[in-house]
Amino acid sequence: MTIKPLFKDALKFWFKLGWISFGGTVGHINIMHDYLVDQKKWISSSRFFHALNLCMLLPGPEAQQLAIYMGWQLHGKKGGLAAGILFVLPAMLILLLLSVCYVYFGNQPLMFAMFDGFKPAVISMIIVALLGIGKKALRTPYHVVLAAIAFSCIFFFNTAMVFIILGTIGLAIALHFLWPDLIRQEHSNKQLVLVSENEYHFNKDSVALGTGTHWKIAVLQILVFILIWMAPSFLLYYFTSDFAFWRELTLFFSKTAFLTIGGSYTVLPYVAQYAVTKLNWLSKMQMIDGFALAESTPGPLIIVVAFVGFMAAYHHFDASISMGVLGLGLTTFHTFLPSFLFIFVGGPIIEKVHGNTAVSNVLSFVTAVVVGVILNLTLFLGKDVVFPGGVRFENLDIAAVIWVIITLILMKKYKVNQLIIIGMSLIFGLLHYGHIIY
């Protein structure tokens, strides 16, 4: 077994990770695996993927939760806190800068042109996510039917996301007891390659921190979480105006944090549609611009909610930059804080059901539903990009359609990095839309 890594060495990695973690969840996981497992041998591969599977059972961004879990197992609670905070902090700071620039310069003709060029690429990125998740999630005809039902519920009847998720879980549990063969999936029994794990500090034989945690300690941790979660609300009540707005914002994003089972794309359709159509915090085009800004930052894509919080407060308080900054900070705090609770309290509980076939099958239904929800997001945002003047043939933007197709091919077939797609799209916007605006 290797010597326990120094906390300062781990801290350097968590700090670096926050600035280089581009490429979405897959990119984040690859970076962590390469450094923690392959290079440093701090954690064995079996332990790494066991932790990843555990995080996928929990609400919240699994890459951030994986970092929290790894930091916790290496250096206790301080390690988990450091890893989780540094995973999100750089993306939040970069998005804050971009959000301020957006409201200062977003109405300039050149900025309009660049964002108009980027909007079709954002739709392509969502389609890529839809295809990737769909390939993994739609394993049986029943999953396809569930995805179609979820799409119909949200597209035609505007059903709330929380009811779709809860209904799906209820249906899956009922089917598990009544017709278990209906949701049973085939599991491959590939032989695992035996690897000597003695050279890894945290390996399959290590006792995970949190194992055997007494329920009193768990309750105490929950109470501490509630106090930390409520602290901003007390300050907002006494030191800001229009507390009703801040209460609605903090409760909304706290609620979204508990809906993100299955990754960022589980909750983003809900945030996008609800924030635009119900709360009127920002326009549909601004929501697409938010996706564009979030794609250009490191960290999880769910960080786009910080832009939503910024624009909500900015608009509500008559174009106040300072209120926008406060909105962004509060949104980030309430979106990512629950991840620490889920790992420190929920992690040991989930460990007990890890590998449980029934739980996996139920969650597969939820993932299938997410495909239908993402399809709705694609149409909800995409129709205004392709038909900027309304859904009529004469309003079809041929250039936007072509750019959607081109960027989709580049990402799917040729695996072009999203940062390159961003740069190409900005240039495309300047070249094509620039002369139209001027």
Side-chain angles (χ1 to χ4, degrees):
M1 183 182 292
T2 58
I3 300 174
K4 181 178 180 178
L6 296 175
F7 179 63
K8 66 176 183 178
D9 292 334
L11 199 61
K12 289 178 184 177
F13 170 69
W14 299 127
F15 177 79
K16 178 182 176 182
L17 177 67
W19 295 98
I20 65 171
S21 56
F22 292 94
T25 302
V26 175
H28 308 158
I29 292 169
N30 287 341
I31 293 171
M32 283 190 276
H33 188 274
D34 179 65
Y35 188 85
L36 298 174
V37 178
D38 296 335
Q39 292 187 36
K40 292 297 185 179
K41 298 189 183 300
W42 290 348
I43 298 160
S44 70
S45 192
S46 65
R47 268 293 188 178
F48 183 92
F49 287 108
H50 174 77
L52 176 60
N53 291 335
L54 181 150
C55 294
M56 291 178 71
L57 295 175
L58 297 167
E62 57 261 36
Q64 186 213 13
Q65 290 176 341
L66 181 62
I68 295 171
Y69 185 85
M70 294 302 177
W72 180 29
Q73 297 304 323
L74 289 174
H75 297 104
K77 293 285 175 61
K78 69 174 182 179
L81 289 170
I85 292 170
L86 291 175
F87 187 84
V88 175
L89 189 60
M92 186 196 78
L93 295 176
I94 294 171
L95 192 59
L96 172 60
L97 177 63
L98 293 175
S99 299
V100 172
C101 292
Y102 178 82
V103 295
Y104 265 124
F105 307 111
N107 60 350
Q108 299 297 315
L110 286 179
M111 290 293 288
F112 267 126
M114 288 192 292
F115 274 102
D116 283 344
F118 196 11
K119 285 180 174 73
V122 171
I123 303 305
S124 297
M125 292 173 184
I126 297 175
I127 293 173
V128 168
L130 173 66
L131 296 174
I133 296 173
K135 185 177 179 181
K136 296 177 182 177
L138 305 181
R139 304 174 186 175
T140 70
Y142 306 112
H143 291 117
V144 176
V145 171
L146 267 177
I149 292 173
F151 170 76
S152 300
C153 285
I154 199 167
F155 185 82
F156 294 110
F157 305 105
N158 202 24
T159 307
M161 178 75 176
V162 63
F163 294 125
I164 294 175
I165 295 292
L166 291 176
T168 302
I169 293 173
L171 175 64
I173 292 173
L175 290 176
H176 172 70
F177 288 106
L178 298 175
W179 296 288
D181 290 338
L182 196 64
I183 65 171
R184 186 173 293 128
Q185 302 167 55
E186 295 297 324
H187 295 277
S188 60
N189 293 317
K190 295 179 182 177
Q191 281 222 309
L192 297 173
V193 178
L194 296 177
V195 178
S196 174
E197 301 211 352
N198 292 332
E199 56 185 317
Y200 296 93
H201 170 68
F202 183 59
N203 57 49
K204 66 181 180 65
D205 298 318
S206 303
V207 178
L209 293 179
T211 303
T213 300
H214 194 273
W215 67 269
K216 290 183 179 179
I217 296 176
V219 170
L220 179 62
Q221 290 178 327
I222 293 172
L223 291 175
V224 170
F225 165 80
I226 293 173
L227 288 174
I228 295 172
W229 176 78
M230 292 181 65
S233 295
F234 283 115
L235 296 175
L236 291 168
Y237 181 79
Y238 286 107
F239 296 106
T240 63
S241 60
D242 200 350
F243 177 70
F245 167 78
W246 295 115
R247 181 180 58 201
E248 183 177 47
L249 183 138
T250 54
L251 287 177
F252 175 74
F253 287 109
S254 294
K255 183 170 63 175
T256 61
F258 287 84
L259 291 175
T260 50
I261 299 173
S264 300
Y265 275 104
T266 308
V267 75
L268 288 181
Y270 165 70
V271 172
Q273 198 153 6
Y274 203 85
V276 170
T277 61
K278 300 287 186 183
L279 299 171
N280 298 309
W281 282 346
L282 70 173
S283 70
K284 195 179 294 186
M285 286 295 108
Q286 288 172 336
M287 188 70 222
I288 299 175
D289 292 340
F291 274 102
L293 294 176
E295 290 283 6
S296 61
T297 66
L301 180 58
I302 191 69
I303 196 68
V304 70
V305 300
F307 175 79
V308 176
F310 179 93
M311 296 304 296
Y314 174 81
H315 286 143
H316 185 80
F317 292 98
D318 301 320
S320 169
I321 295 289
S322 60
M323 291 296 100
V325 172
L326 179 58
L328 182 143
L330 286 169
T331 300
T332 305
F333 177 83
H334 286 91
T335 300
F336 292 98
L337 177 66
S339 290
F340 295 93
L341 174 72
F342 296 144
I343 290 298
F344 293 147
V345 177
I349 298 172
I350 296 295
E351 284 270 13
K352 296 178 181 178
V353 299
H354 176 72
N356 186 296
T357 304
V359 173
S360 300
N361 289 341
V362 169
L363 289 175
S364 76
F365 269 39
V366 175
T367 311
V369 163
V370 169
V371 177
V373 176
I374 299 174
L375 176 59
N376 174 71
L377 174 69
T378 307
L379 297 178
F380 176 71
L381 298 178
K383 65 182 179 181
D384 285 350
V385 173
V386 177
F387 296 98
V391 185
R392 293 190 299 273
F393 182 76
E394 59 268 24
N395 294 328
L396 181 65
D397 188 338
I398 301 295
V401 174
I402 293 173
W403 196 244
V404 168
I405 295 171
I406 290 174
T407 52
L408 190 59
I409 292 172
L410 289 174
M411 285 186 285
K412 281 297 292 179
K413 185 174 181 178
Y414 297 102
K415 310 299 180 186
V416 176
N417 187 280
Q418 288 187 349
L419 288 177
I420 297 176
I421 296 293
I422 291 171
M424 292 173 60
S425 299
L426 295 178
I427 295 172
F428 161 72
L430 285 173
L431 294 176
H432 178 72
Y433 295 104
H435 76 277
I436 295 176
I437 293 172
Y438 280 109

